Amino acid sequence: MHKPNPNAAPSGGASAVVLAAGADDESRALLTSTLGDATVVELALANVRAVLPADRIVVVVAQGDTEIRALLGDDLTYVEQDAPLGTGHALTCARAAIPADTSALLVAYADTPLLRPESLRGLLNRHDLLGADLALLTAVVEKPLPYGRVTRDASGQITGIVERSDLTPSTDDALEINVGAYAAAPSTILAEVDALAGAGEHRLTVAVRRLIDDGAKVVTYKIVDTDEVQGINSRDELDAAADIVLRRLFMPRKNTDTHIVFGTGGWRAVIGEGYTLGNVRKLCQAIANEATRKGIDHLGVVIGGDRRFLSRESAEAAAEVFAGNNIPVTLLPDDVPTPLVTFAAPYLGAAYGIIITSSHNPPEWNGMKVFRADGSLPLDDETDRFQDEANALRAAEVITLDLDLARRAGVVVDRTLTEPYVDAIEEIIDIDAVRGSGLRVVVDPMYGTSQLTLGTILTDMRVRAEFIHATHNPLFGGVAPAPDLERLSALIQMIKNGDGRYDLGMATDGDSDRIGIVDETGEYISTNDLLLLLYWYLHEVRGEKGGVVRNIATTHLLDRLAAHFGEKSFECKVGFKHVIAGMEEIGAVLGGESSGGLTIRGWILGKDGIFACALVAEMLARTGKRISELREMIYEITGRLHTEEAGVPATPDMRIAVPRRLAAAPLTHVGAYPVVGIDHTDGTKILLENDNWALLRFSGTEPVLRMFVEADTPEKATELMDWLKGFVTA
C-alpha cells in the first residue's frame, strides 16, 4: 500500500477530491485491479499524495465500500456516494468534507493512474498564478481518443469542450482533449454542479462546459507525455496501461527524482542529480540505524573515498553522520582503492566498510559501496532496507556531529591502512619468486587509486614498472575509467612501440577493483582468458585444489578446464556478491566475471584489481612463460571458444518487446544452430551445442541491453551476435 508522502507541501490552501466510486461493479473492479506493483486506485492516489498531504485529500467511494479504504489506508478522508448518479453528484457528496480553508480544489479521477504528480502540480500552479476561475488538464494527441475535444479561438482562448457524440467535421480535427482533472475554487465548481442538479444533470463535464460558455476565466495545463492520458475503463485499457507502467520503470530518472537505488555493486548516480551530500547523509543514517538495531554499532565503521569529485567531502559527511549516532569511525585518507576498504572492514573488526566511489562509471558520476563486517557485499534484501529507509528519511532526521569536534572527542580517528593491506597481499603472493625475474611492466591506473599500493607491491617484487595516467585527474582524461580494449589504447600502443622492452601491461579501473591485461605483443587479453590462465596456474602450479565460479556472461572454457581437473564449476548471476556466494558454496579456488573482477580463496570477499595484478606477475615469474605462451598451452587442454560482446541503448519499449517476443514463441534455433536449452536466471541465456551460447541481459546500472556470445569460431560468434542484434531491433 502506498504511504503518505511526509515531504509533500500544501499548495497554499489547496485540497483534492478524488472520485473513486465508479459507475458500476465492473468499473469498481478495475479500480482495484493490479497495475505494476500496486492497484489502479493506489497509483492514482499516490500521485495526489505527492502533491498534497493526506489531511487535504477526500476520496469519494461507493456506498458500503470497504475494499478501496483498505487499500488506501485510514489517513485519508472518505465519503460515500449513495447512488451512482454521475461525477458531479459524486463531487457534491464530498462537500462537507472539503477543508473550510480550501482556496483551490483539485478534482481528479481514480481511473487515471498514469497522471504524473508534476502535471497535477502544474494544474494547481497555473490556476493560482493566473487567477483563473477554472484550470483544466489537457493533452494534444496524435490520433483521436474517446475524450471530449477542446476548441479554441484564433487567440488561443478556450471556446468549448465538444463531446464525442457532438463532433462535427470542423471539430473532428481538434486533437486537444480534455483529460478530466480540474482546479477551481470550491464555491465556483460546486455552484455550477448544484445549478445543473436541479435540471437532473449530474455530469461534471457539463458543469465545466457551462463555466466556459458563461465567460469564466478558464486556463489549461497541457500534458506533453500522452501516456498520462491512458484511463482504465476496460481490460484492454488496463493491459495498455500495464505496458506504460513497465516502460516507466526503465525511464532514466532525472530532475526531481533523487531516490537512492542500489545496483549490483552499490549506489551510483550523477553528481548534482541523484548524487548529493544530502543523499549521502541519509544513506549513512539508514546504515547507522541498521547497525544500532543489530547491536553492532560499537564495532564502528571504516570510511574511505576515491579520486572522484566530492569523494573527500562525501567521506567526511559520512563520518559526521556515524559520529552523530555514537558509532566510532576510522576515516581513511583520500585516494584509497575499493579493495583496501573491503580488506579494512574485517581487519579492523568494523561493522561496515564504506567507500565513496562510482567505480568505472564516467566522471560525472559518484556513489557508495557498502561492505559487511567480513568484507562481502550485502545481498539484495539488505541493500533494499538501506535504500528504502534512506529514501523515507527527512533531512531533519539525520543526526550529525561536527567533524572537528568528533575528532577531538576521538569518535572519528584518521588512520592509514595502506601498509597492512599491502602486507596482507604479500603474505599470499610469492614476492620472492618474482624477485630476480627481471619483469618489466607498464601500469595504467587510469587516473584512479592503485598507484601507491600496486606501485609498492611491484617495487617489493623488484619489478621494473612504468606508470602512465597516474596523476590525480577527476575527469579521468575524458573517458570512463574502465580497463577494456577501447580505453587502453595508450597502454597497448606503448607496448607495441617498446620493441620488446616490456613483458606485460597492467591496468586497473577508477577504484582499482577490476583488472585489464595486455600481453608482451600489445594484444589485449580478455578477462575470460585471464581467468582461464589464473585458474590453471592456481590449480596446477600453486597446487590449490578446488572448483571455479563464473557469472552467466563469462566463458564456458572455465567449465571445461574444471572438468579436466575433476573439479566443480558454478554459474551465478551477474554481481560479485553472487560470485562470492558461489565460491563459498563449492569451496572454489577462483571466482570471476568477464567484466574484469576476480578474487581467490583466502583473499578478500570482493574483487581486487591490485591483488590480481600481483598474481599475474607471480604467474609469469614462476612459470617463466609469457602470456601468449600460456594461452596456447591451455588452449591445448580446453580447445578454443571465441566471444563477442555488444550493447545497444535499452529503450523502455525494448524492455517490454524483447521479453515478450522471447516468451511468445519458444526458440528452437538461433539462425541455423539448434537450441538445446534456455536459462532465465539472469536475462535470457540461449544454450547451443558444444558450449556455444548467446545471452541477452538488461544492465542493472545503465539503460543498456547487453549481448554476449561464445562460439567455436570467430565467424560463428559474429553470426550469433548479428542474429541477436537483429532480434532485439526487429
Side-chain angles (χ1 to χ4, degrees), residues 553-593:
T554 301
T555 180
H556 285 208
L557 288 180
L558 285 167
D559 303 36
R560 290 185 183 180
L561 188 57
H564 172 77
F565 292 151
E567 303 282 11
K568 294 180 180 179
S569 58
F570 186 92
E571 182 178 83
C572 65
K573 294 167 64 175
V574 172
F576 214 77
K577 55 193 171 187
H578 303 299
V579 173
I580 294 298
M583 290 180 70
E584 292 176 347
E585 182 170 335
I586 69 168
V589 66
L590 174 72
E593 300 186 308

mmCIF file of all heavy atoms in Angstrom, residues 553-593:
data_model
loop_
_atom_site.group_PDB
_atom_site.id
_atom_site.type_symbol
_atom_site.label_atom_id
_atom_site.label_comp_id
_atom_site.label_asym_id
_atom_site.label_seq_id
_atom_site.Cartn_x
_atom_site.Cartn_y
_atom_site.Cartn_z
ATOM 1 N N ALA A 553 27.687 -14.490 -17.808
ATOM 2 C CA ALA A 553 28.214 -13.892 -19.031
ATOM 3 C C ALA A 553 29.691 -14.190 -19.245
ATOM 4 O O ALA A 553 30.334 -13.544 -20.069
ATOM 5 C CB ALA A 553 27.996 -12.375 -18.994
ATOM 6 N N THR A 554 30.234 -15.154 -18.549
ATOM 7 C CA THR A 554 31.668 -15.453 -18.581
ATOM 8 C C THR A 554 31.910 -16.808 -19.250
ATOM 9 O O THR A 554 31.055 -17.691 -19.232
ATOM 10 C CB THR A 554 32.240 -15.414 -17.152
ATOM 11 O OG1 THR A 554 31.999 -14.115 -16.603
ATOM 12 C CG2 THR A 554 33.725 -15.686 -17.119
ATOM 13 N N THR A 555 33.099 -16.990 -19.816
ATOM 14 C CA THR A 555 33.408 -18.128 -20.689
ATOM 15 C C THR A 555 33.142 -19.502 -20.074
ATOM 16 O O THR A 555 33.463 -19.751 -18.898
ATOM 17 C CB THR A 555 34.866 -18.067 -21.154
ATOM 18 O OG1 THR A 555 35.141 -19.176 -22.002
ATOM 19 C CG2 THR A 555 35.833 -18.061 -19.984
ATOM 20 N N HIS A 556 32.631 -20.408 -20.910
ATOM 21 C CA HIS A 556 32.425 -21.795 -20.513
ATOM 22 C C HIS A 556 33.722 -22.606 -20.590
ATOM 23 O O HIS A 556 33.732 -23.775 -20.179
ATOM 24 C CB HIS A 556 31.363 -22.441 -21.391
ATOM 25 C CG HIS A 556 29.976 -21.996 -21.058
ATOM 26 N ND1 HIS A 556 28.863 -22.785 -21.271
ATOM 27 C CD2 HIS A 556 29.503 -20.836 -20.520
ATOM 28 C CE1 HIS A 556 27.765 -22.136 -20.896
ATOM 29 N NE2 HIS A 556 28.140 -20.950 -20.440
ATOM 30 N N LEU A 557 34.791 -21.994 -21.114
ATOM 31 C CA LEU A 557 36.073 -22.695 -21.083
ATOM 32 C C LEU A 557 36.517 -22.978 -19.644
ATOM 33 O O LEU A 557 37.250 -23.938 -19.390
ATOM 34 C CB LEU A 557 37.139 -21.883 -21.807
ATOM 35 C CG LEU A 557 37.021 -21.810 -23.340
ATOM 36 C CD1 LEU A 557 38.147 -20.968 -23.918
ATOM 37 C CD2 LEU A 557 37.015 -23.199 -23.966
ATOM 38 N N LEU A 558 36.099 -22.144 -18.715
ATOM 39 C CA LEU A 558 36.394 -22.415 -17.306
ATOM 40 C C LEU A 558 35.761 -23.730 -16.863
ATOM 41 O O LEU A 558 36.361 -24.488 -16.084
ATOM 42 C CB LEU A 558 35.897 -21.263 -16.430
ATOM 43 C CG LEU A 558 36.729 -19.979 -16.465
ATOM 44 C CD1 LEU A 558 35.964 -18.828 -15.822
ATOM 45 C CD2 LEU A 558 38.070 -20.192 -15.766
ATOM 46 N N ASP A 559 34.556 -24.014 -17.349
ATOM 47 C CA ASP A 559 33.893 -25.274 -17.011
ATOM 48 C C ASP A 559 34.674 -26.458 -17.593
ATOM 49 O O ASP A 559 34.831 -27.504 -16.950
ATOM 50 C CB ASP A 559 32.470 -25.289 -17.562
ATOM 51 C CG ASP A 559 31.634 -24.126 -17.060
ATOM 52 O OD1 ASP A 559 32.179 -23.021 -16.897
ATOM 53 O OD2 ASP A 559 30.431 -24.310 -16.834
ATOM 54 N N ARG A 560 35.159 -26.272 -18.834
ATOM 55 C CA ARG A 560 35.939 -27.351 -19.460
ATOM 56 C C ARG A 560 37.223 -27.618 -18.678
ATOM 57 O O ARG A 560 37.607 -28.773 -18.463
ATOM 58 C CB ARG A 560 36.287 -26.981 -20.899
ATOM 59 C CG ARG A 560 35.111 -26.964 -21.860
ATOM 60 C CD ARG A 560 35.611 -26.701 -23.280
ATOM 61 N NE ARG A 560 34.518 -26.606 -24.242
ATOM 62 C CZ ARG A 560 34.690 -26.378 -25.540
ATOM 63 N NH1 ARG A 560 35.928 -26.212 -26.023
ATOM 64 N NH2 ARG A 560 33.656 -26.306 -26.361
ATOM 65 N N LEU A 561 37.881 -26.544 -18.244
ATOM 66 C CA LEU A 561 39.129 -26.716 -17.500
ATOM 67 C C LEU A 561 38.851 -27.364 -16.145
ATOM 68 O O LEU A 561 39.609 -28.242 -15.697
ATOM 69 C CB LEU A 561 39.824 -25.364 -17.329
ATOM 70 C CG LEU A 561 41.237 -25.396 -16.732
ATOM 71 C CD1 LEU A 561 42.165 -26.289 -17.564
ATOM 72 C CD2 LEU A 561 41.805 -23.984 -16.626
ATOM 73 N N ALA A 562 37.768 -26.948 -15.485
ATOM 74 C CA ALA A 562 37.415 -27.567 -14.204
ATOM 75 C C ALA A 562 37.129 -29.052 -14.386
ATOM 76 O O ALA A 562 37.564 -29.895 -13.572
ATOM 77 C CB ALA A 562 36.200 -26.856 -13.602
ATOM 78 N N ALA A 563 36.413 -29.398 -15.465
ATOM 79 C CA ALA A 563 36.129 -30.811 -15.730
ATOM 80 C C ALA A 563 37.419 -31.587 -15.977
ATOM 81 O O ALA A 563 37.574 -32.743 -15.535
ATOM 82 C CB ALA A 563 35.187 -30.930 -16.931
ATOM 83 N N HIS A 564 38.361 -30.977 -16.671
ATOM 84 C CA HIS A 564 39.668 -31.611 -16.914
ATOM 85 C C HIS A 564 40.385 -31.899 -15.590
ATOM 86 O O HIS A 564 41.051 -32.934 -15.441
ATOM 87 C CB HIS A 564 40.519 -30.692 -17.800
ATOM 88 C CG HIS A 564 41.931 -31.128 -17.968
ATOM 89 N ND1 HIS A 564 42.306 -32.166 -18.816
ATOM 90 C CD2 HIS A 564 43.096 -30.681 -17.387
ATOM 91 C CE1 HIS A 564 43.609 -32.328 -18.752
ATOM 92 N NE2 HIS A 564 44.119 -31.442 -17.904
ATOM 93 N N PHE A 565 40.233 -30.971 -14.627
ATOM 94 C CA PHE A 565 40.863 -31.152 -13.320
ATOM 95 C C PHE A 565 40.059 -32.076 -12.407
ATOM 96 O O PHE A 565 40.513 -32.426 -11.318
ATOM 97 C CB PHE A 565 41.015 -29.800 -12.615
ATOM 98 C CG PHE A 565 41.993 -28.858 -13.254
ATOM 99 C CD1 PHE A 565 41.813 -27.490 -13.145
ATOM 100 C CD2 PHE A 565 43.094 -29.332 -13.956
ATOM 101 C CE1 PHE A 565 42.711 -26.598 -13.716
ATOM 102 C CE2 PHE A 565 43.995 -28.454 -14.534
ATOM 103 C CZ PHE A 565 43.803 -27.082 -14.415
ATOM 104 N N GLY A 566 38.833 -32.435 -12.814
ATOM 105 C CA GLY A 566 37.956 -33.194 -11.929
ATOM 106 C C GLY A 566 37.352 -32.336 -10.834
ATOM 107 O O GLY A 566 37.017 -32.835 -9.752
ATOM 108 N N GLU A 567 37.206 -31.033 -11.106
ATOM 109 C CA GLU A 567 36.669 -30.093 -10.127
ATOM 110 C C GLU A 567 35.295 -29.576 -10.574
ATOM 111 O O GLU A 567 34.895 -29.739 -11.730
ATOM 112 C CB GLU A 567 37.623 -28.903 -9.966
ATOM 113 C CG GLU A 567 39.034 -29.261 -9.556
ATOM 114 C CD GLU A 567 39.171 -29.579 -8.072
ATOM 115 O OE1 GLU A 567 38.140 -29.723 -7.391
ATOM 116 O OE2 GLU A 567 40.323 -29.685 -7.605
ATOM 117 N N LYS A 568 34.594 -28.933 -9.647
ATOM 118 C CA LYS A 568 33.278 -28.370 -9.936
ATOM 119 C C LYS A 568 33.398 -26.987 -10.569
ATOM 120 O O LYS A 568 34.347 -26.242 -10.288
ATOM 121 C CB LYS A 568 32.455 -28.240 -8.649
ATOM 122 C CG LYS A 568 32.077 -29.546 -7.995
ATOM 123 C CD LYS A 568 31.267 -29.286 -6.730
ATOM 124 C CE LYS A 568 30.863 -30.584 -6.047
ATOM 125 N NZ LYS A 568 30.088 -30.321 -4.800
ATOM 126 N N SER A 569 32.431 -26.670 -11.396
ATOM 127 C CA SER A 569 32.276 -25.289 -11.883
ATOM 128 C C SER A 569 30.878 -24.839 -11.504
ATOM 129 O O SER A 569 29.959 -25.642 -11.393
ATOM 130 C CB SER A 569 32.478 -25.197 -13.396
ATOM 131 O OG SER A 569 31.574 -26.036 -14.082
ATOM 132 N N PHE A 570 30.731 -23.540 -11.299
ATOM 133 C CA PHE A 570 29.463 -22.998 -10.786
ATOM 134 C C PHE A 570 29.149 -21.716 -11.534
ATOM 135 O O PHE A 570 29.998 -20.828 -11.628
ATOM 136 C CB PHE A 570 29.588 -22.728 -9.286
ATOM 137 C CG PHE A 570 28.308 -22.303 -8.605
ATOM 138 C CD1 PHE A 570 27.477 -23.232 -8.025
ATOM 139 C CD2 PHE A 570 27.953 -20.964 -8.555
ATOM 140 C CE1 PHE A 570 26.293 -22.830 -7.384
ATOM 141 C CE2 PHE A 570 26.780 -20.553 -7.928
ATOM 142 C CZ PHE A 570 25.952 -21.506 -7.343
ATOM 143 N N GLU A 571 27.930 -21.617 -12.076
ATOM 144 C CA GLU A 571 27.484 -20.409 -12.769
ATOM 145 C C GLU A 571 26.526 -19.629 -11.871
ATOM 146 O O GLU A 571 25.645 -20.216 -11.241
ATOM 147 C CB GLU A 571 26.772 -20.774 -14.074
ATOM 148 C CG GLU A 571 26.312 -19.576 -14.878
ATOM 149 C CD GLU A 571 25.643 -19.977 -16.188
ATOM 150 O OE1 GLU A 571 24.435 -20.290 -16.164
ATOM 151 O OE2 GLU A 571 26.332 -19.988 -17.220
ATOM 152 N N CYS A 572 26.712 -18.307 -11.816
ATOM 153 C CA CYS A 572 25.867 -17.477 -10.954
ATOM 154 C C CYS A 572 25.387 -16.243 -11.720
ATOM 155 O O CYS A 572 25.804 -15.989 -12.848
ATOM 156 C CB CYS A 572 26.628 -17.050 -9.702
ATOM 157 S SG CYS A 572 28.037 -15.965 -10.035
ATOM 158 N N LYS A 573 24.537 -15.471 -11.083
ATOM 159 C CA LYS A 573 24.052 -14.225 -11.654
ATOM 160 C C LYS A 573 25.172 -13.190 -11.698
ATOM 161 O O LYS A 573 26.173 -13.308 -11.006
ATOM 162 C CB LYS A 573 22.885 -13.687 -10.813
ATOM 163 C CG LYS A 573 21.646 -14.559 -10.835
ATOM 164 C CD LYS A 573 20.651 -14.156 -9.759
ATOM 165 C CE LYS A 573 20.121 -12.768 -9.966
ATOM 166 N NZ LYS A 573 19.063 -12.424 -8.975
ATOM 167 N N VAL A 574 24.960 -12.145 -12.510
ATOM 168 C CA VAL A 574 25.911 -11.038 -12.560
ATOM 169 C C VAL A 574 25.878 -10.290 -11.229
ATOM 170 O O VAL A 574 24.823 -10.064 -10.639
ATOM 171 C CB VAL A 574 25.572 -10.097 -13.728
ATOM 172 C CG1 VAL A 574 26.430 -8.840 -13.682
ATOM 173 C CG2 VAL A 574 25.760 -10.822 -15.060
ATOM 174 N N GLY A 575 27.043 -9.866 -10.763
ATOM 175 C CA GLY A 575 27.171 -9.199 -9.467
ATOM 176 C C GLY A 575 28.148 -9.987 -8.607
ATOM 177 O O GLY A 575 27.970 -11.195 -8.402
ATOM 178 N N PHE A 576 29.202 -9.316 -8.115
ATOM 179 C CA PHE A 576 30.254 -10.066 -7.450
ATOM 180 C C PHE A 576 29.789 -10.692 -6.142
ATOM 181 O O PHE A 576 30.380 -11.673 -5.681
ATOM 182 C CB PHE A 576 31.489 -9.187 -7.225
ATOM 183 C CG PHE A 576 32.765 -9.965 -7.326
ATOM 184 C CD1 PHE A 576 33.266 -10.335 -8.555
ATOM 185 C CD2 PHE A 576 33.447 -10.371 -6.183
ATOM 186 C CE1 PHE A 576 34.436 -11.082 -8.663
ATOM 187 C CE2 PHE A 576 34.607 -11.113 -6.275
ATOM 188 C CZ PHE A 576 35.102 -11.476 -7.515
ATOM 189 N N LYS A 577 28.745 -10.152 -5.547
ATOM 190 C CA LYS A 577 28.227 -10.789 -4.334
ATOM 191 C C LYS A 577 27.744 -12.212 -4.630
ATOM 192 O O LYS A 577 27.835 -13.105 -3.782
ATOM 193 C CB LYS A 577 27.106 -9.947 -3.737
ATOM 194 C CG LYS A 577 25.955 -9.634 -4.687
ATOM 195 C CD LYS A 577 25.064 -8.554 -4.117
ATOM 196 C CE LYS A 577 24.040 -8.055 -5.123
ATOM 197 N NZ LYS A 577 23.293 -6.897 -4.628
ATOM 198 N N HIS A 578 27.254 -12.428 -5.866
ATOM 199 C CA HIS A 578 26.810 -13.767 -6.253
ATOM 200 C C HIS A 578 28.016 -14.669 -6.518
ATOM 201 O O HIS A 578 27.960 -15.878 -6.259
ATOM 202 C CB HIS A 578 25.905 -13.684 -7.474
ATOM 203 C CG HIS A 578 24.705 -12.812 -7.286
ATOM 204 N ND1 HIS A 578 23.745 -13.075 -6.334
ATOM 205 C CD2 HIS A 578 24.323 -11.664 -7.908
ATOM 206 C CE1 HIS A 578 22.817 -12.129 -6.383
ATOM 207 N NE2 HIS A 578 23.145 -11.260 -7.322
ATOM 208 N N VAL A 579 29.105 -14.095 -7.041
ATOM 209 C CA VAL A 579 30.337 -14.867 -7.232
ATOM 210 C C VAL A 579 30.853 -15.361 -5.878
ATOM 211 O O VAL A 579 31.214 -16.538 -5.717
ATOM 212 C CB VAL A 579 31.406 -14.017 -7.943
ATOM 213 C CG1 VAL A 579 32.742 -14.762 -7.981
ATOM 214 C CG2 VAL A 579 30.965 -13.655 -9.360
ATOM 215 N N ILE A 580 30.899 -14.465 -4.902
ATOM 216 C CA ILE A 580 31.386 -14.837 -3.562
ATOM 217 C C ILE A 580 30.508 -15.923 -2.946
ATOM 218 O O ILE A 580 31.012 -16.899 -2.361
ATOM 219 C CB ILE A 580 31.443 -13.601 -2.654
ATOM 220 C CG1 ILE A 580 32.500 -12.608 -3.155
ATOM 221 C CG2 ILE A 580 31.718 -13.993 -1.215
ATOM 222 C CD1 ILE A 580 33.917 -13.151 -3.146
ATOM 223 N N ALA A 581 29.193 -15.763 -3.087
ATOM 224 C CA ALA A 581 28.290 -16.786 -2.541
ATOM 225 C C ALA A 581 28.537 -18.142 -3.203
ATOM 226 O O ALA A 581 28.515 -19.180 -2.541
ATOM 227 C CB ALA A 581 26.838 -16.340 -2.731
ATOM 228 N N GLY A 582 28.772 -18.130 -4.512
ATOM 229 C CA GLY A 582 29.058 -19.374 -5.219
ATOM 230 C C GLY A 582 30.372 -20.003 -4.785
ATOM 231 O O GLY A 582 30.485 -21.229 -4.656
ATOM 232 N N MET A 583 31.389 -19.162 -4.552
ATOM 233 C CA MET A 583 32.681 -19.686 -4.091
ATOM 234 C C MET A 583 32.539 -20.370 -2.739
ATOM 235 O O MET A 583 33.121 -21.432 -2.493
ATOM 236 C CB MET A 583 33.701 -18.546 -4.014
ATOM 237 C CG MET A 583 34.130 -17.996 -5.360
ATOM 238 S SD MET A 583 35.333 -16.636 -5.217
ATOM 239 C CE MET A 583 36.795 -17.516 -4.628
ATOM 240 N N GLU A 584 31.749 -19.763 -1.862
ATOM 241 C CA GLU A 584 31.541 -20.371 -0.548
ATOM 242 C C GLU A 584 30.776 -21.688 -0.675
ATOM 243 O O GLU A 584 31.041 -22.645 0.063
ATOM 244 C CB GLU A 584 30.782 -19.399 0.346
ATOM 245 C CG GLU A 584 31.606 -18.158 0.727
ATOM 246 C CD GLU A 584 30.804 -17.153 1.525
ATOM 247 O OE1 GLU A 584 29.561 -17.290 1.576
ATOM 248 O OE2 GLU A 584 31.415 -16.225 2.095
ATOM 249 N N GLU A 585 29.846 -21.743 -1.636
ATOM 250 C CA GLU A 585 29.010 -22.936 -1.779
ATOM 251 C C GLU A 585 29.818 -24.152 -2.219
ATOM 252 O O GLU A 585 29.590 -25.269 -1.735
ATOM 253 C CB GLU A 585 27.885 -22.662 -2.783
ATOM 254 C CG GLU A 585 26.931 -23.824 -2.962
ATOM 255 C CD GLU A 585 25.693 -23.464 -3.757
ATOM 256 O OE1 GLU A 585 25.321 -22.264 -3.775
ATOM 257 O OE2 GLU A 585 25.091 -24.372 -4.367
ATOM 258 N N ILE A 586 30.770 -23.959 -3.154
ATOM 259 C CA ILE A 586 31.509 -25.120 -3.667
ATOM 260 C C ILE A 586 32.964 -25.142 -3.221
ATOM 261 O O ILE A 586 33.725 -26.012 -3.636
ATOM 262 C CB ILE A 586 31.433 -25.187 -5.207
ATOM 263 C CG1 ILE A 586 32.228 -24.043 -5.852
ATOM 264 C CG2 ILE A 586 30.003 -25.220 -5.698
ATOM 265 C CD1 ILE A 586 32.431 -24.217 -7.357
ATOM 266 N N GLY A 587 33.378 -24.191 -2.386
ATOM 267 C CA GLY A 587 34.763 -24.140 -1.951
ATOM 268 C C GLY A 587 35.718 -23.844 -3.089
ATOM 269 O O GLY A 587 36.801 -24.432 -3.181
ATOM 270 N N ALA A 588 35.346 -22.948 -3.977
ATOM 271 C CA ALA A 588 36.130 -22.672 -5.189
ATOM 272 C C ALA A 588 37.438 -21.986 -4.866
ATOM 273 O O ALA A 588 37.554 -21.242 -3.890
ATOM 274 C CB ALA A 588 35.312 -21.803 -6.145
ATOM 275 N N VAL A 589 38.418 -22.197 -5.730
ATOM 276 C CA VAL A 589 39.719 -21.550 -5.568
ATOM 277 C C VAL A 589 39.744 -20.197 -6.260
ATOM 278 O O VAL A 589 40.525 -19.317 -5.899
ATOM 279 C CB VAL A 589 40.849 -22.456 -6.100
ATOM 280 C CG1 VAL A 589 40.740 -22.656 -7.606
ATOM 281 C CG2 VAL A 589 42.216 -21.883 -5.751
ATOM 282 N N LEU A 590 38.868 -20.004 -7.255
ATOM 283 C CA LEU A 590 38.845 -18.769 -8.041
ATOM 284 C C LEU A 590 37.420 -18.426 -8.403
ATOM 285 O O LEU A 590 36.611 -19.311 -8.707
ATOM 286 C CB LEU A 590 39.676 -18.943 -9.323
ATOM 287 C CG LEU A 590 39.636 -17.787 -10.334
ATOM 288 C CD1 LEU A 590 40.412 -16.575 -9.808
ATOM 289 C CD2 LEU A 590 40.214 -18.228 -11.681
ATOM 290 N N GLY A 591 37.118 -17.139 -8.367
ATOM 291 C CA GLY A 591 35.824 -16.659 -8.845
ATOM 292 C C GLY A 591 36.027 -15.382 -9.623
ATOM 293 O O GLY A 591 36.867 -14.546 -9.260
ATOM 294 N N GLY A 592 35.276 -15.214 -10.713
ATOM 295 C CA GLY A 592 35.469 -14.002 -11.502
ATOM 296 C C GLY A 592 34.363 -13.741 -12.491
ATOM 297 O O GLY A 592 33.459 -14.557 -12.692
ATOM 298 N N GLU A 593 34.460 -12.568 -13.093
ATOM 299 C CA GLU A 593 33.480 -12.111 -14.071
ATOM 300 C C GLU A 593 34.216 -11.586 -15.304
ATOM 301 O O GLU A 593 35.304 -11.000 -15.187
ATOM 302 C CB GLU A 593 32.613 -10.995 -13.501
ATOM 303 C CG GLU A 593 31.825 -11.391 -12.275
ATOM 304 C CD GLU A 593 30.859 -10.303 -11.829
ATOM 305 O OE1 GLU A 593 31.307 -9.145 -11.660
ATOM 306 O OE2 GLU A 593 29.666 -10.603 -11.670
#
